[in-house]
Amino acid sequence: FLSVPNKFRSFYYIQSVDHIFAVTRVEAQHNTKMQKTPAGETVIVPRNFKLLEELEKSEKGLGDMAISFGLVDNGDTFLTDWNGGILGPAATQHDGRFYQLRIRCPEEYPAVPPEVRFVSKINMSCVDSRTGAIKKEKLPAMRNWNRNMGIEQILQSIRMEMCSDQNRRLRQPAEGSNF
């Protein structure tokens, strides 16, 4: 990424190794953290560039191996609909289970968190028991969301909640049942 002097704060520049891909005017729409260079300059990464970076990292198997995520449809040029998976943590009622999730990244992403819901039936305090949707106010990563976070941090936060005192011993629905 190429940094931008403070006087040009409403602009972002994105660069690959050999080419500059985009030079676009962006006005601050949300009161969120933005990436800063060591010199204190602000860099705003466009939605699709951030999502492409997340997809590439996931496809290469970098990061937490207990979670996975990728596009529902490889032809989704807007990178909106994603599948996710979480391997249940050991020494909990989730041990040995694999949970499927659906993730939707709205147009405002990464200024707002993605919408996440379980496909696999699960009993947790941060999950709506009728729909499987994550309750944003109950999941730390969503409650404290900022644009520097991503899908991986959401899935890690859900997995950590599986280990919490209030969720680790909750009786779970039959394996293989869905919302």
Side-chain angles (χ1 to χ4, degrees), residues 54 57 62-64 67 69 150-157:
E54 290 185 57
K57 185 177 176 185
L62 305 174
D64 190 339
I67 61 170
F69 57 97
I151 295 169
E152 182 177 22
Q153 286 75 28
I154 295 292
L155 296 177
Q156 288 172 331
S157 184

Side-chain angles (χ1 to χ4, degrees), residues 1-2 6 11 13 19 31-32 37 40 42 47-48 54 74 76 90 93 103 107 109-110 123 125-126 145 148 168 178:
F1 294 125
L2 181 67
N6 284 336
F11 289 84
Y13 294 78
H19 301 89
N31 185 16
T32 59
T37 65
T42 301
R47 176 187 182 277
N48 281 11
E54 290 185 57
N74 287 334
D76 180 3
Q93 290 291 322
I103 304 153
E107 196 174 303
Y109 183 88
N123 186 16
S125 60
C126 61
W145 181 260
N148 296 321
R168 70 181 305 119
N178 295 327

Side-chain angles (χ1 to χ4, degrees), residues 55-68:
L55 178 62
E56 182 179 13
K57 185 177 176 185
S58 176
E59 286 179 342
K60 288 183 176 179
L62 305 174
D64 190 339
M65 298 307 293
I67 61 170
S68 64

Side-chain angles (χ1 to χ4, degrees), residues 90-107:
T92 68
Q93 290 291 322
H94 309 284
D95 191 358
R97 292 183 178 216
F98 183 78
Y99 295 97
Q100 291 181 291
L101 299 95
R102 287 298 297 258
I103 304 153
R104 183 167 185 79
C105 295
E107 196 174 303

Side-chain angles (χ1 to χ4, degrees), residues 11-169:
F11 289 84
Y12 63 77
Y13 294 78
I14 301 301
Q15 170 180 317
S16 76
V17 176
D18 299 327
H19 301 89
I20 293 178
F21 284 118
V23 180
T24 308
R25 184 168 176 81
V26 174
E27 298 297 332
Q29 297 175 359
H30 301 280
N31 185 16
T32 59
K33 289 184 180 177
M34 311 223 184
Q35 293 180 355
K36 297 258 185 195
T37 65
E41 300 162 332
T42 301
V43 178
I44 300 172
V45 180
R47 176 187 182 277
N48 281 11
F49 280 63
K50 178 166 178 52
L51 287 169
L52 283 170
E53 182 181 1
E54 290 185 57
L55 178 62
E56 182 179 13
K57 185 177 176 185
S58 176
E59 286 179 342
K60 288 183 176 179
L62 305 174
D64 190 339
M65 298 307 293
I67 61 170
S68 64
F69 57 97
L71 287 172
V72 170
D73 175 10
N74 287 334
D76 180 3
T77 56
F78 295 106
L79 309 171
T80 302
D81 295 310
W82 298 65
N83 286 319
I86 300 175
L87 185 60
T92 68
Q93 290 291 322
H94 309 284
D95 191 358
R97 292 183 178 216
F98 183 78
Y99 295 97
Q100 291 181 291
L101 299 95
R102 287 298 297 258
I103 304 153
R104 183 167 185 79
C105 295
E107 196 174 303
E108 301 82 16
Y109 183 88
V112 300
E115 300 158 9
V116 182
R117 71 173 180 81
F118 275 88
V119 173
S120 305
K121 204 116 161 106
I122 190 167
N123 186 16
M124 286 179 64
S125 60
C126 61
V127 177
D128 184 298
S129 61
R130 291 170 287 130
T131 65
I134 297 294
K135 299 175 186 174
K136 291 182 180 184
E137 69 281 356
K138 300 258 182 162
L139 187 69
M142 287 187 157
R143 194 174 53 240
N144 302 314
W145 181 260
N146 71 68
R147 73 179 306 115
N148 296 321
M149 297 170 75
I151 295 169
E152 182 177 22
Q153 286 75 28
I154 295 292
L155 296 177
Q156 288 172 331
S157 184
I158 293 169
R159 191 165 192 271
M160 288 179 72
E161 280 299 304
M162 290 176 175
C163 296
S164 73
D165 288 339
Q166 67 186 99
N167 290 311
R168 70 181 305 119
R169 291 187 178 85

